[in-house]
Amino acid sequence: MAGSIKIFVEGEADEKFISDYISYLYEIDISEDVIKLGGWEGIKDGGMINQFKKNTDNLGTNLIIIDADSDVEERRLTIRSIIDKNEITASLFLLPNNAEEGDLETLLERIINGHNSQIFDCWEKYEYCLSEINIEGRVKPLTIPAKKSKIYSYIEALVDDSNAQKKLIKDPNRNYKNTEHWNLESDSLSDLHGFFDSVFN
Amino acid sequence: MSLLKDIRIKNFRGFESLELQDLKQVNLIVGQNNTGKSTVLEAMFLLVGMSNPNLIPTINGFRGIGRIGETEFKYLFHKLDFEKSPTINANLMDTSYRQLEIIPIYKKVSDSSQSFGNLNGEHSGISTSSAFQSVTGLDLKFSSKKKHSIRKSGISSIKIQKGEVQFNPSKDYKEGLHGALISSQGKEEGALPRVSELIKKKREHILVDALRKIDPGIQSIHALPEGIFLTVEGIDELIPSNISGDGLRRFLNIIATITEKQNSIILIDEIENGLHFLSLQKLWETIISMAVEFNNQIVATSHNIETIKYFANAVQSYKEGVLMNNAKLINIAHTKAKGIQHYDYSIESINNSLVNEIEIR
């Protein structure tokens, strides 16, 4: 009797995206089995290690999907060393594509519906503008908003201003299966798709 | 400290084998139904009082098994198999070691309808064909060893002879450990002698202070032959604790048990039974401060998430977290690949799991 597939992710944004993508690919609801680490370093917590071991003891499969951030190989080595040290079994995928540096937002940027790409053109102009302007009396340059803000603003631009629609902008309420906003058939998802196929097919 | 450090349980009730290591002063065992939480407490209880044969019917009694006979003896054996003797052993924090083995006493019977007439032909620990033998009792073979001391050992027994139950405690052994098991049944009949004892020692203020945490109107406590009575603010007559609700009586029983004796191992099954969740935090705060004050070890069971939350909160807030490394949660679970396993959580890990909505029961 096969066990569950548990997917360990960094936070609620990842939780919703991964749940929606798996639902899209295989028509299954895995949301109960997506476990938030509370940041990738949460993987070191003894309670989290127990979750891996318990799932393995129940013949389950563990997947870790976290951000590569600025150094893919360093992150891979760090996670592998935690896996080995704690004698747990898990397969690792580093966002955006298990090869490049980046994070969930890097991937999300690449999978927007192409019809909406002008929104990002505006955002890039906004970023450029912020980098160029000098505010009198200010020493430090202005901070360029994080990529999370870019994704947030992208969705905000596409929904209307009703409270119900505004709620859909937040991480846990997003609908990545909404084809007006996202393209889950994007080539940028092919590596993640292949990773999932190896366990869900 | 004569408190449990590690325990190994073999062939006892639902456990073929279970080892719990690095027990702390305060321990909460959680798990789904039928994972053996109560069995762990029973094993600890038997080991703490290993020379006392009365504990066998006591633990069966907690499960509602009143009769004493071959069938009831069998319930102690894993898969009801008399050929696999239950063995429980432990290392204690004072580096001593103790072991208990429960061995069936067989009697040859030529007629299956004949039973328990006399004990001629009885012998321990040998089983050939149970079709021709009947189990008429149990030997409790125990031993303990302290560092730099000689091993002490003995045999107690419980036997059925001519329809009568005979308890034969070993005469040469004096138990140095003290423990108590508070069952999940909630009858709390053990509270009266414990409260009486505390009142005799003029320590009833400990109980009253604790009870006031859940009912600030309680002014004093009295142990009368009819039971435990309370003086409550604004009421002229004494109020029997029986009408004060299950929660207050359980709270009282737990606190009276912890404060009865120092250096004891206190086992509490389904700790939250009868208690409103708001009383749980106060119960844990009280248990933890009393356990430290009386240097007692607590092993409680639960399957309630509120209990886990309040347990972690109370440990964390006790004297700025000094007990953080001396408390733990143990999750016992049936697994598909490895049978019964346990997973240990520090207080920090409990908090992380609760924040990330991870199921740890």
Side-chain angles (χ1 to χ4, degrees):
Chain A
M1 185 166 46
S4 313
I5 297 167
K6 302 264 186 205
I7 305 178
F8 296 80
V9 300
E10 292 201 23
E12 58 185 8
D14 310 77
E15 180 187 30
K16 187 64 167 72
F17 171 69
I18 297 294
S19 300
D20 278 2
Y21 188 45
I22 288 171
S23 165
Y24 174 79
L25 291 176
Y26 311 107
E27 295 182 346
I28 54 171
D29 178 7
I30 197 166
S31 53
E32 292 288 314
D33 290 317
V34 179
I35 297 169
K36 297 189 291 278
L37 295 163
W40 74 268
E41 290 191 285
I43 199 174
K44 299 175 192 167
D45 176 70
M48 206 59 77
I49 299 293
N50 280 341
Q51 297 304 310
F52 284 94
K53 288 187 173 172
K54 203 170 178 179
N55 193 39
T56 302
D57 291 347
N58 279 302
L59 305 173
T61 302
N62 297 315
L63 306 180
I64 302 169
I65 301 176
I66 58 173
D67 296 339
D69 289 333
S70 58
D71 190 329
V72 189
E73 287 317 309
E74 186 191 331
R75 180 60 46 85
R76 198 186 308 281
L77 284 173
T78 305
I79 300 298
R80 278 283 149 220
S81 132
I82 295 167
I83 287 173
D84 293 345
K85 182 182 163 198
N86 292 286
E87 298 174 338
I88 57 180
T89 309
S91 300
L92 173 66
F93 187 94
L94 295 173
L95 296 170
N97 58 7
N98 216 20
E100 293 175 70
E101 64 180 59
D103 49 28
L104 173 68
E105 285 71 28
T106 312
L107 179 61
L108 294 180
E109 270 184 65
R110 295 172 182 177
I111 64 162
I112 62 164
N113 181 325
H115 291 300
N116 305 321
S117 60
Q118 289 172 88
I119 297 173
F120 278 180
D121 294 343
C122 296
W123 183 269
E124 274 147 30
K125 284 176 191 163
Y126 169 59
E127 283 185 342
Y128 177 75
C129 179
L130 289 177
S131 67
E132 287 295 303
I133 60 172
N134 287 308
I135 293 177
E136 198 177 326
R138 184 183 167 89
V139 180
K140 288 182 179 175
L142 292 169
T143 304
I144 305 298
K147 272 187 286 184
K148 280 185 190 298
S149 304
K150 185 174 178 181
I151 301 299
Y152 190 97
S153 297
Y154 167 74
I155 306 169
E156 190 171 28
L158 292 168
V159 298
D160 64 42
D161 59 1
S162 69
N163 283 337
Q165 288 286 298
K166 292 282 181 201
K167 281 183 186 166
L168 299 177
I169 304 169
K170 294 188 174 171
D171 288 335
N173 306 328
R174 289 178 187 169
N175 177 10
Y176 292 97
K177 290 192 281 185
N178 180 345
T179 52
E180 287 179 24
H181 299 179
W182 307 103
N183 173 19
L184 295 184
E185 291 295 328
S186 165
D187 287 345
S188 296
L189 282 165
S190 60
D191 295 302
L192 187 58
H193 189 169
F195 179 72
F196 284 145
D197 272 352
S198 67
V199 285
F200 286 98
N201 276 342
Chain B
M1 292 203 332
S2 298
L3 307 180
L4 297 169
K5 185 168 181 280
D6 309 312
I7 186 164
R8 289 154 291 277
I9 303 166
K10 277 192 177 169
N11 298 321
F12 180 61
R13 296 218 199 266
F15 292 130
E16 185 176 8
S17 178
L18 180 78
E19 179 172 4
L20 301 180
Q21 292 176 327
D22 194 26
L23 292 163
K24 306 290 186 184
Q25 186 166 5
V26 186
N27 307 273
L28 178 61
I29 299 176
V30 299
Q32 294 180 2
N33 290 332
N34 206 29
T35 49
K37 303 183 293 291
S38 303
T39 303
V40 172
L41 299 192
E42 290 173 339
M44 290 175 172
F45 189 51
L46 290 181
L47 188 65
V48 169
M50 59 190 182
S51 66
N52 183 357
N54 294 66
L55 300 188
I56 299 287
T58 300
I59 61 165
N60 274 347
F62 285 152
R63 291 177 182 261
I65 303 164
R67 192 180 169 276
I68 301 171
E70 180 172 1
T71 304
E72 292 70 29
F73 293 147
K74 202 183 276 183
Y75 295 149
L76 300 172
F77 290 68
H78 184 59
K79 293 187 176 173
L80 309 181
D81 183 356
F82 276 130
E83 296 199 17
K84 291 176 183 166
S85 290
T87 307
I88 308 159
N89 60 54
N91 295 102
L92 279 75
M93 292 185 190
D94 63 3
T95 71
S96 66
Y97 170 87
R98 60 172 47 208
Q99 175 160 308
L100 170 67
E101 188 177 4
I102 301 171
I103 302 165
I105 300 169
Y106 291 99
K107 177 194 163 219
K108 286 178 184 168
V109 283
S110 52
D111 176 358
S112 61
S113 63
Q114 178 193 344
S115 64
F116 311 150
N118 60 64
L119 291 171
N120 290 339
E122 70 181 35
H123 58 282
S124 288
I126 304 165
S127 171
T128 50
S129 167
S130 58
F132 301 100
Q133 295 184 103
S134 152
V135 171
T136 58
L138 299 172
D139 275 338
L140 308 183
K141 188 178 171 191
F142 59 87
S143 64
S144 68
K145 171 91 173 75
K146 281 187 179 174
K147 206 173 181 182
H148 309 304
S149 304
I150 56 161
R151 176 183 294 270
K152 290 179 187 171
S153 58
I155 298 178
S156 298
S157 66
I158 175 171
K159 291 177 184 173
I160 296 164
Q161 196 167 25
K162 294 178 182 171
E164 294 290 318
V165 182
Q166 292 183 351
F167 296 98
N168 306 305
S170 168
K171 291 185 175 64
D172 306 325
Y173 181 80
K174 191 172 183 313
E175 184 55 79
L177 270 187
H178 180 259
L181 172 56
I182 300 173
S183 82
S184 60
Q185 302 293 318
K187 290 177 186 163
E188 320 303 345
E189 66 282 340
L192 180 59
R194 290 186 175 117
V195 170
S196 303
E197 199 57 33
L198 280 166
I199 291 174
K200 273 187 219 164
K201 292 176 184 167
K202 295 191 172 181
R203 287 157 76 179
E204 66 269 27
H205 63 279
I206 296 170
L207 296 176
V208 175
D209 289 348
L211 290 176
R212 277 191 186 138
K213 288 183 180 175
I214 54 170
D215 184 348
I218 292 172
Q219 294 178 326
S220 59
I221 188 165
H222 313 270
L224 304 178
E226 298 91 339
I228 299 166
F229 287 77
L230 304 166
T231 307
V232 179
E233 191 180 353
I235 301 175
D236 292 335
E237 291 184 36
L238 293 176
I239 304 293
S241 68
N242 287 352
I243 64 162
S244 301
D246 292 345
L248 187 131
R249 279 185 290 134
R250 184 149 179 89
F251 194 99
L252 178 63
N253 192 17
I254 291 171
I255 301 307
T257 307
I258 296 173
T259 52
E260 185 187 14
K261 201 165 180 177
Q262 289 197 319
N263 301 311
S264 300
I265 296 161
I266 311 297
L267 312 162
I268 311 167
D269 202 11
E270 293 183 26
I271 189 166
E272 67 278 346
N273 269 10
L275 283 159
H276 187 270
F277 75 95
L278 290 176
S279 301
L280 277 173
Q281 169 117 16
K282 295 187 170 76
L283 175 68
W284 273 118
E285 287 168 359
T286 310
I287 284 177
I288 285 164
S289 64
M290 299 285 178
V292 173
E293 185 181 342
F294 287 82
N295 193 34
N296 288 339
Q297 186 173 37
I298 307 292
V299 187
T301 70
S302 174
H303 46 70
N304 182 304
I305 194 72
E306 299 294 335
T307 302
I308 296 171
K309 205 182 290 178
Y310 290 128
F311 162 69
N313 283 350
V315 171
Q316 203 166 359
S317 56
Y318 178 73
K319 292 189 177 172
E320 298 176 344
V322 294
L323 207 64
M324 286 283 280
N325 293 326
N326 209 1
K328 77 191 297 193
L329 178 143
I330 303 164
N331 170 222
I332 297 181
H334 279 292
T335 67
K336 292 174 186 170
K338 293 185 176 174
I340 289 178
Q341 292 291 304
H342 71 93
Y343 306 91
D344 296 359
Y345 294 79
S346 65
I347 300 300
E348 197 181 354
S349 292
I350 297 171
N351 289 334
N352 287 340
S353 300
L354 291 173
V355 166
N356 291 311
E357 299 166 334
I358 292 168
E359 181 59 78
I360 54 175
R361 289 171 290 171

